[in-house]
Coordinates of all heavy atoms in Angstrom, one line a residue:
M577 N -1.7 -3.5 26.3 CA -1.9 -4.7 25.5 C -1.8 -4.3 24.1 O -2.5 -3.4 23.6 CB -3.3 -5.2 25.8 CG -3.7 -6.4 24.9 SD -5.3 -7.1 25.3 CE -6.4 -6.0 24.6
P578 N -0.8 -4.9 23.4 CA -0.6 -4.6 21.9 C -1.8 -5.1 21.1 O -2.4 -6.1 21.5 CB 0.7 -5.3 21.6 CG 0.9 -6.3 22.6 CD 0.1 -5.9 23.8
L579 N -2.1 -4.4 20.1 CA -3.2 -4.7 19.2 C -2.7 -5.0 17.8 O -2.0 -4.2 17.3 CB -4.2 -3.6 19.1 CG -5.4 -3.8 18.2 CD1 -6.3 -4.9 18.6 CD2 -6.1 -2.5 18.0
I580 N -3.0 -6.1 17.3 CA -2.6 -6.5 15.9 C -3.9 -6.3 15.1 O -4.9 -7.0 15.3 CB -2.1 -7.9 15.8 CG1 -0.8 -8.0 16.6 CG2 -1.8 -8.2 14.3 CD1 -0.2 -9.4 16.7
V581 N -3.9 -5.4 14.2 CA -5.1 -5.2 13.3 C -5.0 -6.0 12.1 O -4.0 -5.9 11.4 CB -5.2 -3.7 13.0 CG1 -6.4 -3.4 12.1 CG2 -5.3 -2.8 14.3
C582 N -6.0 -6.8 11.8 CA -6.0 -7.5 10.5 C -7.2 -7.0 9.7 O -8.1 -6.4 10.3 CB -6.1 -9.0 10.8 SG -7.6 -9.6 11.6
F583 N -7.2 -7.3 8.5 CA -8.3 -6.8 7.6 C -9.6 -7.4 7.9 O -10.7 -6.9 7.6 CB -8.0 -7.1 6.1 CG -6.9 -6.2 5.6 CD1 -5.6 -6.7 5.3 CD2 -7.1 -4.8 5.5 CE1 -4.6 -5.9 4.8 CE2 -6.1 -4.0 5.0 CZ -4.9 -4.5 4.7
S584 N -9.7 -8.6 8.6 CA -10.9 -9.2 8.9 C -11.6 -8.6 10.2 O -12.7 -8.8 10.4 CB -10.8 -10.7 9.0 OG -10.0 -11.0 10.1
M585 N -10.8 -7.8 10.9 CA -11.4 -7.3 12.2 C -12.3 -6.2 11.8 O -12.1 -5.3 11.0 CB -10.2 -6.7 13.0 CG -10.7 -6.1 14.3 SD -9.3 -5.6 15.4 CE -9.0 -7.0 16.2
S586 N -13.5 -6.2 12.4 CA -14.5 -5.2 12.1 C -14.1 -3.8 12.6 O -13.4 -3.7 13.6 CB -15.9 -5.6 12.7 OG -15.9 -5.4 14.0
A587 N -14.7 -2.8 12.0 CA -14.5 -1.4 12.5 C -14.9 -1.2 13.9 O -14.2 -0.6 14.7 CB -15.2 -0.5 11.6
L588 N -16.0 -1.8 14.3 CA -16.5 -1.7 15.7 C -15.6 -2.4 16.7 O -15.4 -1.9 17.8 CB -17.9 -2.2 15.8 CG -18.9 -1.4 15.0 CD1 -20.3 -2.0 15.1 CD2 -19.0 0.1 15.4
A589 N -15.0 -3.5 16.3 CA -14.1 -4.2 17.1 C -12.8 -3.4 17.4 O -12.3 -3.3 18.5 CB -13.7 -5.6 16.6
I590 N -12.3 -2.7 16.3 CA -11.2 -1.9 16.5 C -11.5 -0.7 17.4 O -10.7 -0.4 18.3 CB -10.7 -1.4 15.1 CG1 -10.1 -2.6 14.3 CG2 -9.6 -0.3 15.3 CD1 -9.8 -2.2 12.9
A591 N -12.6 -0.1 17.2 CA -13.0 1.1 18.0 C -13.2 0.6 19.5 O -12.7 1.3 20.4 CB -14.3 1.7 17.5
A592 N -13.7 -0.5 19.7 CA -14.0 -1.0 21.0 C -12.6 -1.4 21.7 O -12.6 -1.4 22.9 CB -14.9 -2.2 21.0
S593 N -11.6 -1.7 20.9 CA -10.3 -2.1 21.5 C -9.6 -1.0 22.1 O -8.6 -1.2 22.9 CB -9.5 -2.7 20.4 OG -9.0 -1.7 19.5
G594 N -9.9 0.2 21.8 CA -9.2 1.4 22.4 C -8.2 1.9 21.5 O -7.5 2.9 21.8
Y595 N -7.9 1.3 20.4 CA -6.9 1.8 19.4 C -7.6 2.9 18.6 O -8.1 2.6 17.5 CB -6.4 0.6 18.5 CG -5.5 1.1 17.4 CD1 -4.2 1.5 17.8 CD2 -5.9 1.2 16.1 CE1 -3.3 1.9 16.8 CE2 -5.0 1.6 15.1 CZ -3.7 2.0 15.5 OH -2.8 2.4 14.5
D596 N -7.5 4.1 19.1 CA -8.2 5.2 18.4 C -7.6 6.5 18.9 O -8.3 7.3 19.4 CB -9.7 5.1 18.7 CG -10.5 6.1 17.8 OD1 -10.0 6.6 16.8 OD2 -11.7 6.3 18.1
N597 N -6.3 6.7 18.6 CA -5.7 7.9 19.2 C -6.1 9.2 18.4 O -5.8 10.3 18.9 CB -4.2 7.7 19.2 CG -3.6 7.5 17.8 OD1 -4.3 7.3 16.8 ND2 -2.3 7.4 17.7
D598 N -6.7 9.1 17.3 CA -7.1 10.3 16.5 C -8.6 10.3 16.2 O -9.0 11.2 15.5 CB -6.3 10.4 15.2 CG -6.5 9.2 14.3 OD1 -7.3 8.3 14.6 OD2 -5.8 9.1 13.2
G599 N -9.4 9.4 16.8 CA -10.8 9.4 16.5 C -11.2 8.8 15.2 O -12.3 9.0 14.8
L600 N -10.2 8.2 14.5 CA -10.5 7.8 13.1 C -10.4 6.2 13.0 O -10.3 5.7 11.9 CB -9.6 8.5 12.1 CG -9.8 10.0 12.0 CD1 -8.7 10.6 11.0 CD2 -11.2 10.3 11.5
A601 N -10.5 5.5 14.1 CA -10.3 4.1 14.0 C -11.4 3.4 13.1 O -11.1 2.5 12.3 CB -10.3 3.4 15.4
V602 N -12.6 3.8 13.3 CA -13.7 3.2 12.6 C -13.5 3.5 11.1 O -13.5 2.6 10.3 CB -15.1 3.6 13.1 CG1 -16.2 3.2 12.2 CG2 -15.3 3.1 14.5
P603 N -13.4 4.7 10.6 CA -13.3 4.9 9.2 C -12.0 4.4 8.7 O -11.9 3.9 7.5 CB -13.3 6.5 9.0 CG -13.0 7.0 10.4 CD -13.5 6.0 11.4
R604 N -10.9 4.3 9.5 CA -9.6 3.7 9.0 C -9.9 2.2 8.7 O -9.4 1.7 7.6 CB -8.6 3.8 10.1 CG -7.2 3.3 9.6 CD -6.1 3.5 10.7 NE -5.8 4.9 10.9 CZ -6.1 5.6 12.0 NH1 -6.8 5.1 13.0 NH2 -5.8 6.9 12.1
A605 N -10.6 1.5 9.5 CA -10.9 0.1 9.3 C -11.8 -0.1 8.1 O -11.7 -1.0 7.3 CB -11.5 -0.5 10.5
N606 N -12.8 0.8 8.0 CA -13.7 0.8 6.9 C -13.0 1.1 5.6 O -13.3 0.5 4.5 CB -14.9 1.8 7.1 CG -15.8 1.4 8.1 OD1 -15.9 0.2 8.5 ND2 -16.6 2.3 8.7
F607 N -12.0 2.0 5.6 CA -11.2 2.3 4.4 C -10.5 1.0 3.9 O -10.5 0.7 2.8 CB -10.2 3.4 4.7 CG -9.5 3.9 3.5 CD1 -10.0 5.1 2.8 CD2 -8.4 3.3 3.0 CE1 -9.3 5.6 1.7 CE2 -7.7 3.8 1.9 CZ -8.2 4.9 1.2
A608 N -9.8 0.4 4.9 CA -9.1 -0.9 4.5 C -10.0 -1.9 3.9 O -9.6 -2.6 3.0 CB -8.3 -1.4 5.8
T609 N -11.2 -2.1 4.5 CA -12.1 -3.1 4.0 C -12.7 -2.7 2.6 O -12.8 -3.5 1.7 CB -13.3 -3.2 5.0 OG1 -12.8 -3.6 6.3 CG2 -14.3 -4.2 4.5
A610 N -12.9 -1.4 2.4 CA -13.5 -0.9 1.1 C -12.5 -1.0 0.0 O -12.8 -1.1 -1.2 CB -14.0 0.5 1.3
D611 N -11.2 -0.9 0.3 CA -10.1 -0.9 -0.7 C -9.9 -2.4 -1.2 O -9.0 -3.0 -0.9 CB -8.8 -0.4 0.0 CG -7.7 -0.3 -1.1 OD1 -8.0 -0.3 -2.3 OD2 -6.5 -0.1 -0.6
A612 N -10.9 -2.8 -2.0 CA -11.0 -4.2 -2.4 C -9.8 -4.7 -3.2 O -9.4 -5.8 -3.1 CB -12.2 -4.4 -3.2
D613 N -9.2 -3.8 -3.9 CA -8.0 -4.2 -4.7 C -6.7 -3.9 -4.0 O -5.6 -4.1 -4.6 CB -8.0 -3.5 -6.1 CG -8.0 -2.0 -6.0 OD1 -7.8 -1.4 -4.9 OD2 -8.1 -1.4 -7.1
A614 N -6.7 -3.4 -2.8 CA -5.6 -3.2 -1.9 C -4.6 -2.2 -2.6 O -3.4 -2.3 -2.4 CB -4.9 -4.5 -1.5
S615 N -5.1 -1.2 -3.3 CA -4.3 -0.3 -4.0 C -3.8 0.9 -3.2 O -3.0 1.7 -3.5 CB -5.1 0.3 -5.2 OG -6.2 1.1 -4.8
G616 N -4.5 1.0 -2.0 CA -4.1 2.1 -1.1 C -5.0 3.3 -1.4 O -4.9 4.3 -0.7
G617 N -5.9 3.2 -2.3 CA -6.8 4.3 -2.7 C -8.2 3.7 -3.0 O -8.3 2.6 -3.4
L618 N -9.2 4.5 -2.9 CA -10.5 4.1 -3.3 C -11.0 4.7 -4.6 O -11.0 5.9 -4.8 CB -11.5 4.5 -2.2 CG -11.2 4.1 -0.7 CD1 -12.3 4.6 0.2 CD2 -11.0 2.6 -0.7
D619 N -11.5 3.8 -5.5 CA -12.1 4.3 -6.7 C -13.5 4.7 -6.3 O -13.9 4.5 -5.2 CB -12.0 3.3 -7.9 CG -12.7 2.0 -7.6 OD1 -13.6 1.9 -6.8 OD2 -12.3 1.0 -8.2
A620 N -14.3 5.1 -7.3 CA -15.7 5.6 -7.0 C -16.6 4.5 -6.4 O -17.3 4.7 -5.4 CB -16.3 6.1 -8.2
A621 N -16.5 3.3 -6.9 CA -17.3 2.1 -6.4 C -16.8 1.8 -4.9 O -17.7 1.6 -4.1 CB -17.2 0.9 -7.3
E622 N -15.5 1.7 -4.7 CA -15.0 1.4 -3.4 C -15.4 2.6 -2.4 O -15.7 2.3 -1.2 CB -13.5 1.3 -3.4 CG -13.0 0.0 -4.2 CD -11.5 0.0 -4.4 OE1 -10.9 1.0 -4.6 OE2 -11.0 -1.1 -4.5
F623 N -15.3 3.8 -2.9 CA -15.7 4.9 -2.0 C -17.1 4.8 -1.6 O -17.5 5.1 -0.4 CB -15.4 6.2 -2.8 CG -15.7 7.5 -2.0 CD1 -14.8 7.9 -1.1 CD2 -16.9 8.2 -2.1 CE1 -15.0 9.1 -0.3 CE2 -17.1 9.4 -1.4 CZ -16.2 9.8 -0.5
K624 N -18.0 4.4 -2.5 CA -19.4 4.2 -2.1 C -19.5 3.2 -1.0 O -20.3 3.4 0.0 CB -20.3 3.8 -3.3 CG -21.7 3.6 -3.0 CD -22.5 3.1 -4.2 CE -24.0 3.1 -4.0 NZ -24.4 2.2 -2.9
S625 N -18.8 2.1 -1.1 CA -18.8 1.1 0.0 C -18.3 1.7 1.3 O -18.8 1.4 2.4 CB -18.0 -0.1 -0.4 OG -18.5 -0.8 -1.5
F626 N -17.3 2.5 1.2 CA -16.7 3.1 2.3 C -17.7 4.1 3.0 O -17.9 4.0 4.2 CB -15.4 3.9 1.9 CG -14.8 4.8 2.9 CD1 -14.2 4.2 4.1 CD2 -14.7 6.1 2.7 CE1 -13.6 5.0 5.0 CE2 -14.0 6.9 3.6 CZ -13.5 6.4 4.8
V627 N -18.4 4.9 2.2 CA -19.4 5.8 2.8 C -20.5 5.0 3.4 O -20.9 5.3 4.5 CB -19.9 6.7 1.7 CG1 -21.1 7.5 2.2 CG2 -18.8 7.7 1.2
D628 N -21.0 3.9 2.8 CA -22.0 3.1 3.3 C -21.6 2.5 4.7 O -22.4 2.5 5.6 CB -22.5 2.0 2.3 CG -23.2 2.6 1.1 OD1 -23.6 3.8 1.2 OD2 -23.3 1.8 0.1
A629 N -20.4 2.0 4.8 CA -19.9 1.4 6.0 C -19.8 2.5 7.1 O -20.2 2.3 8.3 CB -18.6 0.8 5.8
N630 N -19.4 3.7 6.7 CA -19.3 4.8 7.7 C -20.7 5.3 8.1 O -20.9 5.6 9.3 CB -18.5 6.0 7.2 CG -17.0 5.7 7.1 OD1 -16.5 4.8 7.9 ND2 -16.3 6.3 6.3
A631 N -21.6 5.2 7.2 CA -23.0 5.6 7.6 C -23.6 4.6 8.6 O -24.2 5.0 9.6 CB -23.9 5.6 6.3
Q632 N -23.3 3.3 8.3 CA -23.8 2.3 9.3 C -23.2 2.5 10.7 O -23.8 2.2 11.7 CB -23.4 0.9 8.7 CG -24.0 -0.2 9.6 CD -23.7 -1.6 9.0 OE1 -23.1 -1.7 7.9 NE2 -24.2 -2.6 9.6
A633 N -21.9 2.9 10.7 CA -21.2 3.2 12.0 C -21.5 4.5 12.5 O -21.0 4.9 13.6 CB -19.7 3.0 11.8
Q634 N -22.4 5.3 11.8 CA -22.8 6.6 12.2 C -21.6 7.6 12.4 O -21.5 8.3 13.4 CB -23.6 6.6 13.5 CG -24.9 5.8 13.4 CD -25.7 5.7 14.7 OE1 -25.3 6.1 15.7 NE2 -26.9 5.1 14.5
F635 N -20.7 7.5 11.4 CA -19.5 8.4 11.4 C -19.7 9.6 10.5 O -20.0 9.4 9.4 CB -18.2 7.6 11.0 CG -17.0 8.4 11.0 CD1 -16.3 8.7 12.2 CD2 -16.6 9.1 9.9 CE1 -15.2 9.5 12.2 CE2 -15.5 9.9 9.9 CZ -14.8 10.1 11.1
G636 N -19.4 10.7 11.0 CA -19.4 11.9 10.3 C -20.6 12.2 9.5 O -21.7 12.0 10.0
K637 N -20.5 12.7 8.2 CA -21.6 13.0 7.4 C -22.0 11.9 6.4 O -22.8 12.1 5.5 CB -21.2 14.3 6.6 CG -21.0 15.5 7.4 CD -20.6 16.7 6.6 CE -20.3 17.9 7.4 NZ -19.9 19.0 6.7
A638 N -21.5 10.7 6.7 CA -21.7 9.6 5.8 C -23.2 9.3 5.6 O -23.6 9.0 4.5 CB -21.0 8.3 6.2
A639 N -24.0 9.3 6.7 CA -25.4 9.0 6.5 C -26.1 10.0 5.7 O -27.0 9.7 4.9 CB -26.0 8.9 7.9
K640 N -25.7 11.3 5.8 CA -26.3 12.3 5.0 C -25.9 12.1 3.5 O -26.8 12.3 2.6 CB -25.8 13.7 5.5 CG -26.4 14.9 4.8 CD -25.7 16.2 5.3 CE -26.7 17.0 6.0 NZ -26.2 18.3 6.5
I641 N -24.7 11.8 3.2 CA -24.3 11.5 1.8 C -25.1 10.3 1.3 O -25.5 10.4 0.1 CB -22.7 11.2 1.8 CG1 -21.9 12.5 2.2 CG2 -22.3 10.7 0.4 CD1 -20.5 12.2 2.5
Q642 N -25.2 9.3 2.1 CA -25.9 8.1 1.7 C -27.4 8.4 1.4 O -27.9 8.1 0.3 CB -25.8 7.0 2.8 CG -26.4 5.7 2.4 CD -26.4 4.7 3.6 OE1 -26.7 5.1 4.7 NE2 -25.8 3.6 3.3
K643 N -28.0 9.1 2.3 CA -29.4 9.5 2.2 C -29.7 10.3 0.9 O -30.7 10.1 0.2 CB -29.9 10.3 3.4 CG -31.4 10.6 3.4 CD -31.8 11.3 4.6 CE -33.2 11.7 4.6 NZ -33.6 12.4 5.8
R644 N -28.8 11.2 0.6 CA -29.0 12.1 -0.6 C -28.4 11.5 -1.8 O -28.6 12.1 -2.9 CB -28.3 13.4 -0.3 CG -28.9 14.2 0.8 CD -28.3 15.5 1.0 NE -29.0 16.3 2.1 CZ -28.5 17.4 2.5 NH1 -27.4 18.0 2.1 NH2 -29.2 18.0 3.5
G645 N -27.7 10.3 -1.7 CA -27.1 9.7 -2.9 C -26.0 10.6 -3.5 O -25.8 10.6 -4.7
A646 N -25.3 11.4 -2.6 CA -24.4 12.4 -3.1 C -22.9 11.8 -3.1 O -22.0 12.5 -2.8 CB -24.4 13.6 -2.1
Y647 N -22.8 10.5 -3.4 CA -21.5 9.9 -3.5 C -20.5 10.6 -4.4 O -19.4 10.8 -4.1 CB -21.6 8.4 -3.9 CG -22.5 7.6 -2.9 CD1 -23.8 7.3 -3.3 CD2 -22.0 7.1 -1.7 CE1 -24.6 6.5 -2.4 CE2 -22.8 6.3 -0.9 CZ -24.1 6.1 -1.2 OH -24.9 5.3 -0.4
A648 N -21.0 10.9 -5.6 CA -20.1 11.5 -6.6 C -19.6 12.9 -6.2 O -18.4 13.2 -6.3 CB -20.7 11.6 -8.0
R649 N -20.5 13.6 -5.6 CA -20.1 15.0 -5.1 C -19.1 14.8 -3.9 O -18.1 15.6 -3.9 CB -21.3 15.7 -4.6 CG -21.0 17.1 -4.2 CD -22.3 17.9 -3.9 NE -22.0 19.3 -3.6 CZ -22.5 19.9 -2.6 NH1 -23.4 19.4 -1.8 NH2 -22.1 21.2 -2.4
A650 N -19.3 13.9 -3.0 CA -18.4 13.7 -1.9 C -17.1 13.2 -2.4 O -16.0 13.7 -1.9 CB -19.0 12.8 -0.9
F651 N -17.1 12.3 -3.3 CA -15.9 11.8 -3.9 C -15.0 12.9 -4.5 O -13.8 13.0 -4.3 CB -16.2 10.7 -4.9 CG -15.0 10.0 -5.5 CD1 -14.4 8.9 -4.9 CD2 -14.4 10.5 -6.7 CE1 -13.3 8.3 -5.5 CE2 -13.3 9.9 -7.2 CZ -12.7 8.8 -6.6
S652 N -15.7 13.7 -5.3 CA -15.0 14.8 -6.0 C -14.4 15.8 -5.0 O -13.3 16.3 -5.2 CB -16.0 15.5 -6.9 OG -15.3 16.6 -7.5
K653 N -15.1 16.0 -3.9 CA -14.6 17.0 -2.9 C -13.4 16.4 -2.1 O -12.5 17.1 -1.9 CB -15.7 17.3 -1.9 CG -15.3 18.3 -0.8 CD -16.5 18.6 0.1 CE -16.1 19.6 1.1 NZ -17.1 20.0 2.1
V654 N -13.4 15.1 -1.8 CA -12.3 14.5 -1.1 C -11.1 14.2 -1.9 O -10.0 14.3 -1.5 CB -12.8 13.2 -0.4 CG1 -11.7 12.5 0.4 CG2 -14.0 13.5 0.6
D655 N -11.3 13.9 -3.2 CA -10.2 13.6 -4.1 C -9.5 14.9 -4.5 O -9.6 15.4 -5.6 CB -10.8 12.9 -5.4 CG -9.7 12.5 -6.4 OD1 -8.5 12.4 -6.0 OD2 -10.0 12.3 -7.5
A656 N -8.6 15.3 -3.6 CA -7.9 16.6 -3.7 C -7.0 16.7 -4.9 O -7.0 17.8 -5.5 CB -7.1 16.9 -2.4
D657 N -6.4 15.7 -5.3 CA -5.4 15.7 -6.4 C -6.1 15.4 -7.7 O -5.5 15.3 -8.8 CB -4.2 14.9 -6.2 CG -4.5 13.4 -6.0 OD1 -5.6 13.0 -6.2 OD2 -3.5 12.7 -5.6
K658 N -7.4 15.1 -7.7 CA -8.2 14.8 -8.9 C -7.7 13.6 -9.7 O -7.7 13.7 -10.9 CB -8.4 16.0 -9.7 CG -9.0 17.2 -8.9 CD -10.3 16.9 -8.3 CE -10.9 18.0 -7.5 NZ -11.9 17.6 -6.5
N659 N -7.1 12.6 -9.1 CA -6.6 11.4 -9.8 C -7.6 10.3 -9.8 O -7.2 9.2 -10.2 CB -5.3 11.0 -9.2 CG -5.4 10.4 -7.8 OD1 -6.5 10.5 -7.2 ND2 -4.4 9.7 -7.4
E660 N -8.8 10.6 -9.5 CA -9.9 9.6 -9.5 C -9.7 8.4 -8.5 O -10.2 7.3 -8.7 CB -10.2 9.1 -10.9 CG -10.6 10.2 -11.8 CD -11.0 9.7 -13.2 OE1 -11.4 8.5 -13.4 OE2 -11.0 10.5 -14.1
S661 N -9.0 8.7 -7.4 CA -8.8 7.8 -6.3 C -8.6 8.6 -5.1 O -7.9 9.6 -5.0 CB -7.5 7.0 -6.6 OG -7.2 6.1 -5.5
V662 N -9.3 8.2 -4.0 CA -9.3 8.8 -2.7 C -8.3 8.1 -1.8 O -8.5 6.9 -1.5 CB -10.7 8.9 -2.1 CG1 -10.6 9.4 -0.6 CG2 -11.5 9.9 -2.9
S663 N -7.2 8.7 -1.4 CA -6.3 8.1 -0.5 C -6.7 8.3 0.9 O -7.6 9.2 1.2 CB -4.9 8.7 -0.7 OG -4.9 10.1 -0.3
W664 N -6.2 7.5 1.9 CA -6.5 7.7 3.3 C -6.1 9.1 3.7 O -6.9 9.8 4.4 CB -5.8 6.7 4.2 CG -6.0 7.0 5.6 CD1 -5.1 7.6 6.5 CD2 -7.2 7.0 6.3 NE1 -5.7 7.8 7.7 CE2 -7.0 7.5 7.6 CE3 -8.5 6.5 6.0 CZ2 -8.0 7.5 8.6 CZ3 -9.5 6.6 7.0 CH2 -9.3 7.1 8.2
S665 N -5.0 9.6 3.3 CA -4.5 11.0 3.7 C -5.5 12.1 3.2 O -5.7 13.0 3.9 CB -3.1 11.3 3.3 OG -3.0 11.2 1.9
E666 N -6.0 11.9 2.0 CA -7.0 12.8 1.4 C -8.3 12.8 2.3 O -8.8 13.9 2.7 CB -7.4 12.5 0.0 CG -6.3 12.9 -1.0 CD -6.6 12.4 -2.4 OE1 -7.1 11.3 -2.6 OE2 -6.3 13.2 -3.3
F667 N -8.7 11.6 2.7 CA -9.9 11.5 3.5 C -9.6 12.1 4.9 O -10.4 13.0 5.4 CB -10.4 10.1 3.7 CG -11.5 9.9 4.7 CD1 -12.8 10.3 4.3 CD2 -11.2 9.5 6.0 CE1 -13.8 10.2 5.3 CE2 -12.3 9.4 6.9 CZ -13.6 9.8 6.5
A668 N -8.5 11.7 5.5 CA -8.2 12.2 6.9 C -8.0 13.7 6.9 O -8.4 14.3 7.9 CB -7.0 11.5 7.4
A669 N -7.5 14.3 5.9 CA -7.3 15.8 5.8 C -8.7 16.5 5.9 O -8.7 17.7 6.3 CB -6.6 16.1 4.6
Q670 N -9.8 15.8 5.5 CA -11.1 16.5 5.5 C -11.8 16.4 6.8 O -12.8 17.0 7.0 CB -12.0 15.8 4.4 CG -11.5 16.0 3.0 CD -11.7 17.4 2.5 OE1 -12.7 18.0 2.8 NE2 -10.7 17.9 1.7
Q671 N -11.2 15.6 7.7 CA -11.8 15.4 9.0 C -11.4 16.4 10.1 O -10.5 17.1 10.1 CB -11.5 14.0 9.5 CG -11.9 12.9 8.6 CD -13.3 13.1 8.0 OE1 -14.3 13.1 8.8 NE2 -13.5 13.2 6.7

């Protein structure tokens, strides 16, 4: 069954659909939702929303980052090219 992913589909709905060949369906959907300006990258504020959504979905270390308020540290670590924007490929490379 083909799956058409739209921005309004929730991360949990995508994960439940079976479209998750790399284990990153939930954060991929959260990334798209957090990218409010559709730039393809997350600024610091969008990254915070992304981490919070991943924490709610219990993905990776997001809950720990949220609990400690370590958003800036995590952002700096993931922003490999230091352009003050986290791309999907930068995030996925850390997984």
Side-chain angles (χ1 to χ4, degrees):
M577 174 173 80
L579 173 70
I580 299 172
V581 178
C582 65
F583 288 111
S584 64
M585 182 177 270
S586 76
L588 295 177
I590 291 171
S593 72
Y595 177 72
D596 190 12
N597 60 352
D598 59 4
L600 297 176
V602 170
R604 185 180 289 109
N606 289 340
F607 188 96
T609 301
D611 186 13
D613 61 4
S615 66
L618 305 179
D619 62 26
E622 292 170 329
F623 184 78
K624 182 182 184 301
S625 295
F626 174 62
V627 170
D628 290 345
N630 286 336
Q632 184 176 2
Q634 299 177 354
F635 179 83
K637 297 179 181 177
K640 186 183 242 184
I641 293 166
Q642 184 184 51
K643 182 178 179 180
R644 295 181 177 174
Y647 300 99
R649 183 171 186 229
F651 183 89
S652 178
K653 182 176 180 180
V654 177
D655 183 18
D657 62 9
K658 305 303 179 202
N659 69 345
E660 298 186 22
S661 178
V662 170
S663 67
W664 172 255
S665 61
E666 286 174 319
F667 173 78
Q670 297 288 322
Q671 303 314 300

